[in-house]
Amino acid sequence: MRYLIGFSYKGTNYHGWQVQPNEVTVQSVLTSALSLVLRQEVELTGAGRTDAGVHAKRMAAHFDFDGEINDFKALTNKLNSLLPLDIAVYDLKRVADDFHARFDAKSRTYKYYITRKKSPFLSDLAAKMTFPLNVERMNEAAAALFDYTDFTSFSKVHTDTKTNNCKIMLAEWSEEEDCLVFTVKADRFLRNMVRAIVGTMLEVGKGKMSVEEFRAVIERKDRCSAGTSAPAEGLYLCDVEY
């Protein structure tokens, strides 16, 4: 039987989501806890993967189990008692045997948080940037994203993806409490895509790049023409929709 697990994590202490040799990752820690509770080795397939230091408010993964789970709440409580404080399970349910956490996702939403001042409560949870930013121009650049589908310029090179096309459904900058926040929703994302977009839009906000030049970066389909990736600590996977 196949099950879908929903969870969140603070990525500061992890080398990203995906299992890697000799590294502590969210996937490895969660898989170990789940296998221990179920008394059976399981494999988790995530809705996507996050880089080292990136956080997730709502992440999902599926796994197969040779048995029926009757009490989802009890299992969730057991998992949370085993998991470290920076990983928490919030949902568990049965899904169809052909369900796939990655390929069945209709959209994913990320947010990037920037704090404009030093805060002990946002350390490792938002990128600190004190230089002046023209948010209006940054929103003009964000609106330009809707006119394109090929985002090669914002992707890590030498990835195993068959296409660099993505459909952007939402892209905007806003203020949330003490942070400047970029929200972006798409059917799929490329490796490092959000951080590369944010880093390039910051060049627009600082007045070092015009909106027209931002468009030209996308049209070149060359990662070298885009800005430096924004720091990992500001990025959150906020939702996965099926």
Side-chain angles (χ1 to χ4, degrees):
M1 294 184 178
R2 183 158 292 184
Y3 296 88
L4 181 68
I5 185 170
F7 52 98
S8 57
Y9 54 86
K10 178 183 177 184
T12 306
N13 296 324
Y14 299 97
H15 203 78
W17 154 255
Q18 193 169 13
V19 170
Q20 299 182 49
N22 306 315
E23 299 288 357
V24 179
T25 68
V26 178
Q27 186 180 26
S28 61
V29 172
L30 185 55
T31 299
S32 295
L34 191 57
S35 297
L36 182 62
V37 170
L38 294 177
R39 299 181 181 179
Q40 176 183 309
E41 289 296 322
V42 298
E43 293 185 6
L44 283 170
T45 299
R49 54 187 176 187
T50 54
D51 292 334
V54 174
H55 318 292
K57 293 185 177 181
R58 296 184 68 87
M59 175 62 148
H62 77 252
F63 65 92
D64 294 328
F65 174 57
D66 295 334
E68 186 172 356
I69 300 173
N70 296 311
D71 193 336
F72 293 121
K73 184 176 180 181
L75 181 58
T76 297
N77 289 338
K78 286 181 181 179
L79 283 171
N80 283 327
S81 68
L82 284 173
L83 290 166
L85 293 175
D86 49 13
I87 301 177
V89 175
Y90 59 78
D91 189 37
L92 185 63
K93 61 184 179 182
R94 175 88 162 86
V95 291
D97 290 339
D98 61 351
F99 175 87
H100 198 285
R102 178 184 175 188
F103 299 126
D104 286 347
K106 294 181 179 179
S107 69
R108 297 163 180 82
T109 301
Y110 282 89
K111 287 193 175 188
Y112 193 90
Y113 288 81
I114 296 174
T115 179
R116 313 308 299 279
K117 59 184 180 181
K118 182 178 180 179
S119 170
F121 305 107
L122 293 175
S123 176
D124 298 324
L125 296 175
K128 182 186 175 185
M129 299 180 187
T130 57
F131 42 78
L133 287 170
N134 187 325
V135 180
E136 183 179 353
R137 288 287 182 270
M138 289 162 66
N139 262 322
E140 289 179 19
L145 294 171
F146 296 113
D147 295 335
Y148 301 92
T149 55
D150 189 330
F151 293 101
T152 300
S153 293
F154 300 130
S155 172
K156 278 188 175 181
V157 296
H158 307 307
T159 63
D160 57 359
T161 56
K162 295 180 179 179
T163 174
N164 286 338
N165 288 354
C166 307
K167 180 182 178 181
I168 303 290
M169 305 169 185
L170 173 67
E172 63 180 10
W173 288 91
S174 61
E175 298 281 348
E176 288 186 20
E177 297 181 351
D178 294 329
C179 289
L180 176 63
V181 183
F182 176 61
T183 304
V184 59
K185 177 180 180 180
D187 60 343
R188 62 190 291 268
F189 287 91
L190 308 174
R191 289 287 306 278
N192 201 237
M193 178 173 166
V194 180
R195 290 169 59 195
I197 288 176
V198 171
T200 309
M201 281 193 286
L202 288 173
E203 295 299 297
V204 176
K206 289 185 286 187
K208 296 183 177 181
M209 179 185 292
S210 68
V211 175
E212 291 72 24
E213 289 171 328
F214 179 79
R215 286 180 174 275
V217 165
I218 301 175
E219 292 167 5
R220 286 191 194 104
K221 301 177 184 179
D222 178 8
R223 179 65 184 91
C224 293
S225 66
T228 303
S229 294
E233 63 265 25
L235 184 60
Y236 292 72
L237 173 60
C238 290
D239 198 16
V240 181
E241 294 181 294
Y242 294 101

